[in-house]
Amino acid sequence: MTVIERQTSSNLWLDSWRKFKRDRPAIFGLITISIIVLAVIFAPLVYTTSADKIDFLASSSPPSWQHPFGTNDLGQDQLARILLGGRISLAVGIASMLVAIFLGTIVGAIAGFYGGVVDGVLMRITDLFLALPQLPLLLLIVYLFRESMKQLAGAELGVFILIVLLIGSLNWMSVARLVRADFLKLREMEFVSAARAIGAKPTRLIWIHLFPNVLSVIIVAATLAVGNAIITESTLSFLGLGFPPDVPTWGRMLFEAKDYLTSAPYMAVFPGMAIFLTVLSINYIGDGLRDAFDPKS
Amino acid sequence: MGQIFIKRLLVTIPTLIAISIIIFTILVLAPGDPLGEFASNPAITAEVRENIRRSLGLDRPAYIRYFKWFGSFIRGDMGYSFNSRSPVAELLWQRLPTTLLVVGLAYIIGLLIAFPLGIISAVKRYSITDQIITTIAFLGFSIPPFFTGLLFIIIFSVRLGWFPFIFNSTLQVTDWQSLIAQIRQSIMPISVLALYHAAILMRFIRSAVLDELQQEYVRTALSKGLSQFAVIKSHVLRNALIPVVTLIALDIPTIFTGALVTEQVFRVPGIGALLIESIYRSDTPVVMAITFIYGILIVLFNLIADLIYAVLDPRVKY
């Protein structure tokens, strides 16, 4: 009995989950984001109103039973568009996060593990990326490469790949710094010397011995990176330089709504709230995870 | 101090060169014709097009073009806009003061809001006041500025009619009346940005002050009989500022991103709005110049943050 108890309480993940459960904002975030994800995946199966059906008779109508979130200037149903846009925004967020985490972990791990000149060079590159004018650069690249990506992989997929790669490759720096700092600390520890003494190769040392110890840091950074990527994608779409006009991302819907603020303010409120609630929930979860993984708290 | 300044300045030069190379490489790698609209204009024959290319030096290898571009850029010659046929530098000088004014004022107001709130929140940790302040800050930095901007327009312009909807860029400040009009139309863009920065800064300041409050020197100062206000004012604040400045320096690109978006929402005639307009019109020289200007601004403000850091922390040696 006591043995089992001691075992469960010594597990980092269970311990962290117990702390996380007590964090009310984090639980609020978890519930909200679950509802949003489930709605975005499954609601279109139940809510069958078409997202692209144009109906000028019902253009920019306020919320009603028929159109719970109202319609846009073309009379397209806003709820259906928000659900469809949510799939894209969340997909962009998760895919860009994976790119950023992948790059950041590799750069941070190599810099922290080898140190010396390698570390110096990689950290200078990281600093350079931190000093880049991110949004202008993003706009410049999307503007220059959008057409050829469309020809390469189709209008929707081409822009998706371009945006995901760009957001990911401009967001890895904080992960790299965190992973590097932890690796620098960890590689001096005895378990690493022990592993090295029995002949573990660098790749094995990095991935089997060191990596699991930085996983909690990476998970927190990954959570926050999703929120960041969603905001960046919405910003691009809001400036009219994201996905093509017939793809209703949340930022794109705000871009269209900003010309109807006097006559139809509800057109801006619902997609804006969708971005806000998603990002807020993700930030709360990220904050909760950071506290939960922190052994000092 | 002067020595630190010169050393830091020398470090920024390679950064700027690297940024310029990145921007130029992107342009060279980009498919499509750098001549933009000229290339697809049917009124221009192939021969004339070839002449234009040669006169612009487009037949030369990329690295020579880079050196020519960079060389003339630092001499202030940024080429001519495809669209308005006027020098890019002239367009930029018209727009840059507006951007710097909006960014600067918003940041100062943001700091003025964030400092007292952050300190109160840290001192009264876990109290109701702290919870209210941190929740509002959390909401504040989770709302993207473009949505706050639209909400402000809906609430304060459309519903209440307090402020004008769109920034009137032709307004000249000549007398009291026009000055008041200028202030009225600047309130919304500046406050959107200021609130966004205040939310971010508040979190930085709160956590920095919290870290300092747990230090032993604070306990010593308090047990010496100093009031809490005196301890915070003359001991905690200066030490807490050191990590805050580091975080602000990391956050400088976000400051300009926020400004770019806000300018676009309220049609403020700054360089951000000019960038978006130029992208819509495929005006490559202007787009290039503005992207690089943003890079220069970020590096410049990083330099300022470094210097403030050196002033605050006498242990820092370069």
Side-chain angles (χ1 to χ4, degrees):
Chain A
M1 191 65 185
T2 47
V3 175
I4 294 167
E5 253 178 31
R6 206 178 302 141
Q7 266 178 349
T8 46
S9 64
S10 64
N11 181 326
L12 167 77
W13 304 105
L14 254 165
D15 252 15
S16 308
W17 168 242
R18 265 194 225 117
K19 264 192 244 167
F20 188 82
K21 265 195 309 195
R22 284 202 300 268
D23 190 343
R24 256 182 292 162
I27 290 296
F28 157 81
L30 194 62
I31 293 171
T32 316
I33 199 77
S34 310
I35 294 173
I36 292 172
V37 170
L38 290 177
V40 157
I41 297 173
F42 295 112
L45 302 176
V46 189
Y47 185 79
T48 47
T49 314
S50 158
D52 351 279
K53 199 178 135 256
I54 293 172
D55 177 7
F56 285 110
L57 288 176
S59 83
S60 3
S61 55
S64 63
W65 281 115
Q66 208 189 343
H67 302 291
F69 285 5
T71 59
N72 69 356
D73 53 318
L74 298 174
Q76 294 166 320
D77 184 71
Q78 288 284 81
L79 176 55
R81 283 164 67 80
I82 284 186
L83 291 173
L84 196 62
R87 288 186 176 183
I88 294 161
S89 292
L90 290 174
V92 169
I94 292 168
S96 321
M97 173 273 282
L98 291 176
V99 175
I101 293 296
F102 175 76
L103 287 174
T105 309
I106 300 258
V107 172
I110 293 176
F113 184 78
Y114 290 104
V117 185
V118 182
D119 179 37
V121 171
L122 286 177
M123 281 304 109
R124 285 293 81 72
I125 295 175
T126 312
D127 285 347
L128 174 65
F129 267 80
L130 280 170
L132 286 179
Q134 301 216 354
L135 187 61
L137 210 58
L138 212 59
L139 293 171
L140 177 74
I141 300 175
V142 171
Y143 151 67
L144 289 171
F145 288 86
R146 193 162 47 166
E147 286 311 312
S148 53
M149 280 308 280
K150 270 185 200 166
Q151 282 159 11
L152 212 67
E156 217 170 296
L157 189 67
V159 176
F160 180 83
I161 296 173
L162 181 66
I163 288 181
V164 162
L165 287 181
L166 277 178
I167 297 180
S169 51
L170 287 173
N171 264 333
W172 55 269
M173 293 81 75
S174 56
V175 186
R177 285 187 154 198
L178 292 168
V179 171
R180 169 186 173 265
D182 275 11
F183 262 53
L184 280 179
K185 247 183 292 168
L186 286 167
R187 68 169 188 170
E188 305 300 334
M189 288 195 168
E190 269 145 17
F191 74 93
V192 181
S193 321
R196 192 173 280 151
I198 56 171
K201 299 249 160 29
T203 34
R204 189 180 160 82
L205 280 175
I206 291 178
W207 295 112
I208 308 290
H209 295 282
L210 293 168
F211 180 70
N213 286 299
V214 295
L215 203 55
S216 58
V217 173
I218 294 179
I219 290 173
V220 174
T223 316
L224 298 173
V226 175
N228 229 331
I230 291 177
I231 287 201
T232 312
E233 182 275 322
S234 318
T235 309
L236 277 180
S237 298
F238 178 76
L239 297 173
L241 285 157
F243 284 88
D246 53 326
V247 182
T249 65
W250 292 339
R252 181 87 211 173
M253 292 173 79
L254 280 177
F255 172 71
E256 288 159 9
K258 79 176 193 303
D259 299 328
Y260 300 90
L261 290 178
T262 349
S263 56
Y266 39 83
M267 261 168 70
V269 171
F270 291 108
M273 284 308 286
I275 300 176
F276 170 53
L277 276 179
T278 310
V279 175
L280 180 71
S281 316
I282 291 172
N283 285 347
Y284 267 139
I285 295 173
D287 239 36
L289 284 174
R290 182 175 5 219
D291 290 345
F293 284 136
D294 187 359
K296 279 183 284 181
S297 72
Chain B
M1 190 62 212
Q3 220 178 350
I4 293 173
F5 177 75
I6 290 166
K7 275 187 189 160
R8 296 307 300 171
L9 199 65
L10 288 177
V11 176
T12 60
I13 290 170
T15 316
L16 278 178
I17 292 175
I19 293 176
S20 73
I21 292 176
I22 290 175
I23 294 173
F24 198 83
T25 313
I26 291 168
L27 193 78
V28 170
L29 290 177
D33 204 297
L35 283 181
E37 53 171 310
F38 294 112
S40 50
N41 190 342
I44 297 174
T45 63
E47 199 184 336
V48 175
R49 201 174 300 149
E50 211 36 58
N51 281 336
I52 295 177
R53 290 185 144 282
R54 205 167 308 136
S55 72
L56 291 175
L58 280 169
D59 52 343
R60 311 280 282 279
Y63 68 92
I64 292 182
R65 284 179 1 230
Y66 168 75
F67 283 122
K68 295 190 85 163
W69 173 70
F70 192 71
S72 39
F73 195 101
I74 49 177
R75 273 181 278 124
D77 174 13
M78 304 174 196
Y80 289 84
S81 157
F82 284 164
N83 196 262
S84 62
R85 307 280 190 272
S86 50
V88 177
E90 201 175 285
L91 286 173
L92 274 174
W93 281 123
Q94 283 169 6
R95 302 283 195 121
L96 198 56
T98 316
T99 297
L100 290 178
L101 192 72
V102 169
V103 170
L105 271 177
Y107 212 76
I108 290 167
I109 296 172
L111 278 171
L112 289 179
I113 299 173
F115 255 101
L117 290 183
I119 294 169
I120 291 172
S121 184
V123 172
K124 299 191 188 287
R125 191 184 184 185
Y126 300 137
S127 69
I128 302 282
T129 329
D130 174 36
Q131 278 176 10
I132 293 171
I133 294 174
T134 41
T135 309
I136 291 175
F138 215 92
L139 299 179
F141 88 89
S142 298
I143 293 194
F146 54 88
F147 184 46
T148 332
L150 294 183
L151 280 182
F152 267 48
I153 291 180
I154 292 174
I155 296 170
F156 296 110
S157 295
V158 177
R159 286 289 145 92
L160 298 170
W162 288 356
F163 305 113
F165 199 101
I166 283 171
F167 200 91
N168 176 8
S169 54
T170 55
L171 187 76
Q172 296 278 339
V173 180
T174 47
D175 50 2
W176 275 111
Q177 205 129 44
S178 56
L179 180 69
I180 289 168
Q182 179 72 17
I183 291 172
R184 257 168 60 101
Q185 68 176 355
S186 312
I187 285 178
M188 282 209 295
I190 290 178
S191 49
V192 165
L193 269 181
L195 290 177
Y196 182 63
H197 294 320
I200 297 174
L201 288 168
M202 213 273 341
R203 283 168 62 83
F204 293 169
I205 293 165
R206 179 178 181 271
S207 73
V209 172
L210 263 182
D211 279 350
E212 287 306 316
L213 283 177
Q214 287 157 4
Q215 303 284 329
E216 310 233 308
Y217 74 84
V218 175
R219 206 180 305 156
T220 313
L222 283 173
S223 55
K224 233 168 45 172
L226 285 180
S227 71
Q228 201 176 31
F229 179 77
V231 174
I232 288 171
K233 185 186 65 120
S234 41
H235 294 283
V236 170
L237 212 51
R238 182 163 171 161
N239 286 314
L241 270 177
I242 297 169
V244 169
V245 171
T246 317
L247 290 168
I248 289 178
L250 280 175
D251 208 45
I252 287 169
T254 324
I255 296 173
F256 288 101
T257 301
L260 198 162
V261 173
T262 315
E263 280 176 17
Q264 186 64 9
V265 173
F266 292 100
R267 311 275 153 88
V268 179
I271 56 170
L274 181 64
L275 175 68
I276 308 294
E277 274 165 42
S278 309
I279 287 179
Y280 286 157
R281 293 176 184 152
S282 307
D283 199 342
T284 313
V286 184
V287 175
M288 289 269 291
I290 297 181
T291 312
F292 193 36
I293 290 280
Y294 271 113
I296 294 174
L297 286 175
I298 289 171
V299 170
L300 197 72
F301 279 82
N302 262 317
L303 180 69
I304 296 173
D306 268 348
L307 293 179
I308 296 176
Y309 193 84
V311 172
L312 284 173
D313 192 349
R315 288 168 300 182
V316 174
K317 294 230 167 62
Y318 290 93

